[in-house]
Amino acid sequence: MHWIILFVAGCFEIAWAVGLKYTEGFSKLWPSIFTIVCMVVSMGLLAYAVKYLPVGTAYAVWTGIGAVGTAILGMILFNESKELVRIFFIFLIVVGIVGLKIFSGQSAE
C-alpha cells in the first residue's frame, strides 16, 4: 500500500510541475491554486510514504516519477523535443525507478 501512495504522490508531482507552466509565474489565479494544492498533496503523501519506506529510495522514486511524467507531458502538451535519444534517457530513468523498487528491501505493501 505504501508504494501505491508513493506512486500517487508522484502523480501529484507531475500535476504540479506541469501546472507551473499554466500559472505563468503564479500570475494566474486558478492554475496557481491547482498547482499549490497539488504540491501540498504530493508532499503530504510523500511524507506519509517515507514513514514506511526507505527515505532515499522513496524520494528517488518520487522524483523519478515526476521527472518521467513531466517530460512525457511536456512532449505531448508543450511540443517539447521528441528526439529518440531523449526518449531513451527517459526510459533509463524508468529502469532506475523499477530497480530501486525491486532492490529496496521492502515488501510490496
Side-chain angles (χ1 to χ4, degrees):
M1 184 65 180
H2 306 112
W3 286 103
I4 293 169
I5 290 169
L6 183 61
F7 176 78
V8 173
C11 291
F12 274 96
E13 186 188 8
I14 296 166
W16 73 253
V18 171
L20 284 174
K21 183 77 168 175
Y22 291 102
T23 69
E24 295 184 14
F26 290 105
S27 65
K28 293 193 170 188
L29 179 62
W30 293 113
S32 297
I33 290 171
F34 170 82
T35 299
I36 291 167
V37 167
C38 287
M39 286 177 177
V40 170
V41 171
S42 180
M43 291 298 290
L45 292 173
L46 174 63
Y48 178 80
V50 299
K51 287 172 53 177
Y52 305 98
L53 301 172
V55 68
T57 300
Y59 182 74
V61 169
W62 178 73
T63 58
I65 291 168
V68 168
T70 303
I72 291 170
L73 284 178
M75 289 187 273
I76 294 168
L77 298 174
F78 308 121
N79 201 31
E80 294 176 2
S81 170
K82 297 172 186 73
E83 292 181 49
L84 189 57
V85 69
R86 186 168 191 240
I87 294 167
F88 171 73
F89 286 115
I90 292 169
F91 171 75
L92 288 180
I93 295 170
V94 172
V95 170
I97 293 168
V98 171
L100 284 169
K101 164 64 174 95
I102 291 170
F103 295 104
S104 71
Q106 297 289 314
S107 65
E109 312 182 12

